[in-house]
């Protein structure tokens, strides 16, 4: 099937890109600032995880679906795995300690990007809404924290960098808000759920 | 087992594993930054310091171990600094007054170590002390003898120095207490000489 071959090719590219991102020159570039690490490197790794997930064999996908009703498990795993990366010391440790770097380069694609991508189609209207609101709230919370913290929270990064990241997070939160509002006002929704999760629904 | 039950079970497991991870990653929700983790670790398990060769501001060569047998307050500086190190320099001058007695008795010593040894030669280190109206007793400044010693030093004390992009440095400025056995036992904020003096008095009484 050409669609599957396409997904496999994309997964191969994703895997290669993760390895490339882990090479010293690219690592140094993207970890040179807190803003780049948090807003470029980490999201990129998560996105590549989503590409990897698309190549999952159909049989394994069905088996996983039985443990992921309504996309709950995938969303929960992705959220829980993302939580430690909100701690300033995790951003520091990923730069200073090789084992934390390894956890980042393997964990962010496989525990955040992949489960989220697998579960999103299974998630219903309400869960998606909750996720979107929480994403906006997280951007605002973290952005505000980084903007007002009187001292640099990371030992590897300067306070100006931290403030810039705070501004970016607020801007992203605002953009998400606007996009959601647009979708709510003008978009179309299937409020019955996604249709991809029919098994034992009445 | 229905898919609802399986999902519930898996979710319980994910929450438990995630909670445990977050707990471990933040030392039981007590340290969210690298610096607070460093301080927590030092307070909970005093850290033995290695042998370190330094050049003192009188030009002589010393070893950090030479100070064993008395308490030592250490801070890290670079003499070109216009911000944090000035706070630290002022702190040490104040501590000379507040802790005059133990300093005079030789039970305590103040040591400023430069992490910019290429620039900070003995003459500049002396000038640094003078800038803060050094009271002339119990305070010396020193620099590591080479790059390897500097690396050992920053590693041992947990000092992080990064370039500020304007020719200077940013570092986790603090005042550290070393006990007579040569172990790093406590860390204090810069700019709070009163707090440091109080805590050191407590340690001396123990």
């Amino acid at each position: 099937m050409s669609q599957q071959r396409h997904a496999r090719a994309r997964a191969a590219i994703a895997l290669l890109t993760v390895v490339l991102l882990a090479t010293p020159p690219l690592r140094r570039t993207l970890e040179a600032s807190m803003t780049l690490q948090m807003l470029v490197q980490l999201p990129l790794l998560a996105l590549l995880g989503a590409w990897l997930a698309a190549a999952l064999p159909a049989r394994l996908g069905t088996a996983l679906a039985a443990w992921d009703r309504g996309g709950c498990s995938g969303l929960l795993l992705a959220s829980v795995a993302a939580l430690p990366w909100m701690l300033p010391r995790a951003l520091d440790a990923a730069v200073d300690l090789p084992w934390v770097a390894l956890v980042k380069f393997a964990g962010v694609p496989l525990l955040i990007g992949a489960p989220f991508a697998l579960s999103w189609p299974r998630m219903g209207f309400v869960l998606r809404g909750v996720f979107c609101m929480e994403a906006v709230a997280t951007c605002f919370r973290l952005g505000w924290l980084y903007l007002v913290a009187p001292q640099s929270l990371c030992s590897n990064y300067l306070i100006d960098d931290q403030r810039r990241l705070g501004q970016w997070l607020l801007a992203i939160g605002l953009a998400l808000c606007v996009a959601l509002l647009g979708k709510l006002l003008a978009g179309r929704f299937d409020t019955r759920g996604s249709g991809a999760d029919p098994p034992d629904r009445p | 087992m229905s898919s609802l039950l399986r999902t519930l079970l898996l979710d319980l497991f994910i929450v438990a594993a995630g909670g445990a991870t977050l707990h471990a990653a933040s030392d039981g929700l007590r340290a969210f930054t690298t610096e607070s983790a460093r301080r927590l670790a030092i307070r909970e398990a005093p850290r033995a310091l290695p042998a370190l060769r330094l050049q003192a501001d009188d030009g002589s060569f010393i070893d950090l171990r030479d100070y064993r047998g008395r308490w030592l307050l250490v801070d890290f500086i670079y003499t070109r600094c216009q911000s944090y190190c000035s706070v630290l320099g002022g702190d040490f001058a104040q501590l000379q007054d507040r802790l005059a007695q133990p300093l005079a008795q030789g039970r305590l010593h103040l040591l400023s170590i430069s992490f910019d040894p290429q620039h900070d030669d003995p003459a500049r280190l002396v000038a640094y002390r003078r800038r803060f109206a050094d009271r002339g007793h119990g305070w010396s400044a020193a620099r590591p003898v080479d790059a390897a010693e500097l690396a050992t030093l920053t590693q041992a004390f947990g000092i992080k120095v990064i370039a500020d992009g304007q020719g200077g440095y940013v570092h986790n400025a603090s005042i550290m207490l070393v006990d007579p056995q040569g172990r790093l036992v406590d860390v204090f904020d810069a700019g709070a000489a009163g707090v440091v003096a109080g805590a050191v008095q407590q340690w001396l009484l123990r």
Side-chain angles (χ1 to χ4, degrees):
Chain A
M1 212 161 85
S2 90
Q3 204 184 349
Q4 196 159 9
R5 203 179 308 151
H6 180 72
R8 247 187 242 150
R10 220 161 55 150
I13 294 172
L15 194 64
L16 196 71
T17 314
V18 171
V19 173
L20 270 178
L21 283 174
T23 56
L26 269 175
R27 252 193 89 186
R28 219 175 300 129
T29 311
L30 292 180
E31 289 172 1
S33 93
M34 194 176 175
T35 312
L36 281 175
Q37 185 178 178
M38 195 142 183
L39 295 183
V40 178
Q41 193 193 47
L42 289 169
L44 206 56
L45 286 171
L47 180 76
L48 294 168
W51 281 22
L52 283 173
L56 202 71
R59 231 175 332 139
L60 196 56
T62 320
L64 281 180
W67 294 82
D68 188 32
R69 195 172 148 124
C72 272
S73 306
L75 179 63
L76 200 61
L77 177 58
S79 312
V80 157
L83 219 52
W85 296 108
M86 317 258 161
L87 303 181
R89 68 184 275 202
L91 297 183
D92 267 338
V95 176
D96 294 332
L97 306 173
W99 75 267
V100 180
L102 191 71
V103 168
K104 177 167 84 173
F105 284 101
V108 172
L110 297 180
L111 297 180
I112 301 177
F116 183 81
L118 287 174
S119 294
W120 180 260
R122 291 196 268 269
M123 283 161 55
F125 175 74
V126 173
L127 200 55
R128 284 182 184 185
V130 168
F131 166 76
C132 290
M133 289 321 294
E134 192 48 42
V136 170
T138 302
C139 283
F140 282 145
R141 271 194 298 258
L142 270 188
W144 173 74
L145 169 74
Y146 289 153
L147 208 54
V148 302
Q151 279 182 348
S152 164
L153 296 169
C154 289
S155 332
N156 283 318
Y157 299 116
L158 299 172
I159 189 154
D160 297 349
D161 191 7
Q162 181 173 300
R163 298 222 168 103
R164 197 175 339 118
L165 173 59
Q167 289 168 346
W168 270 106
L169 281 168
L170 290 187
I172 291 168
L174 199 68
L176 276 176
C177 256
V178 171
L180 281 175
L181 207 66
K183 174 92 174 156
L184 279 173
L185 292 176
R188 293 219 266 144
F189 296 94
D190 179 6
T191 49
R192 293 164 304 153
S194 57
D197 184 33
D200 41 28
R201 201 165 271 213
Chain B
M1 198 163 32
S2 77
S3 85
L4 184 65
L5 198 61
R6 284 184 200 185
T7 302
L8 248 158
L9 269 175
L10 180 58
D11 290 3
L12 272 174
F13 172 75
I14 292 172
V15 168
T21 308
L22 194 68
H23 194 268
S26 60
D27 286 312
L29 304 180
R30 288 178 299 164
F32 299 99
T33 66
T34 311
E35 179 60 12
S36 53
R38 173 176 87 103
R39 295 182 181 197
L40 190 66
I42 287 168
R43 283 184 197 127
E44 291 194 336
R47 194 185 290 177
L49 295 168
L52 276 165
R53 286 195 347 109
L54 301 167
Q55 185 180 24
D57 50 10
D58 61 4
S60 67
F61 290 90
I62 54 171
D63 193 295
L64 197 64
R65 287 180 303 188
D66 297 344
Y67 291 102
R68 289 208 180 153
R70 46 182 166 164
W71 294 84
L72 189 63
L73 278 171
V74 184
D75 67 359
F76 286 87
I77 53 129
Y78 70 107
T79 62
R80 285 177 298 144
C81 181
Q82 300 300 319
S83 55
Y84 259 118
C85 310
S86 348
V87 177
L88 287 168
D91 283 345
F92 268 21
Q94 270 196 55
L95 285 170
Q96 283 185 305
D97 291 336
R98 290 175 186 264
L99 295 168
Q101 205 188 354
L103 283 169
Q105 292 167 343
R107 296 170 64 204
L108 173 72
H109 190 77
L110 307 178
L111 180 64
S112 295
I113 305 179
S114 167
F115 52 75
D116 186 17
Q118 293 209 315
H119 179 270
D120 293 338
D121 55 25
R124 288 202 170 102
L125 290 172
V126 170
Y128 169 82
R129 278 196 289 114
R130 295 235 170 93
R131 212 166 91 210
F132 298 102
D134 169 26
R135 315 300 196 252
H137 61 265
W139 180 12
S140 44
R143 63 171 176 176
V145 290
D146 55 38
E149 291 289 272
L150 176 62
T152 314
L153 192 73
T154 50
Q155 175 77 29
F157 282 90
I159 296 302
K160 193 87 197 188
V161 179
I162 53 173
D164 70 356
Q166 281 146 37
Y169 301 103
V170 168
H171 58 116
N172 47 346
S174 56
I175 296 174
M176 285 152 283
L177 182 65
V178 180
D179 73 3
Q181 287 84 52
R183 299 176 310 163
L184 187 53
V185 292
D186 211 346
V187 183
F188 309 101
D189 280 327
V195 176
V196 181
V200 170
Q201 297 281 17
Q202 291 283 320
W203 278 100
L204 287 169
L205 287 174
R206 269 189 211 183

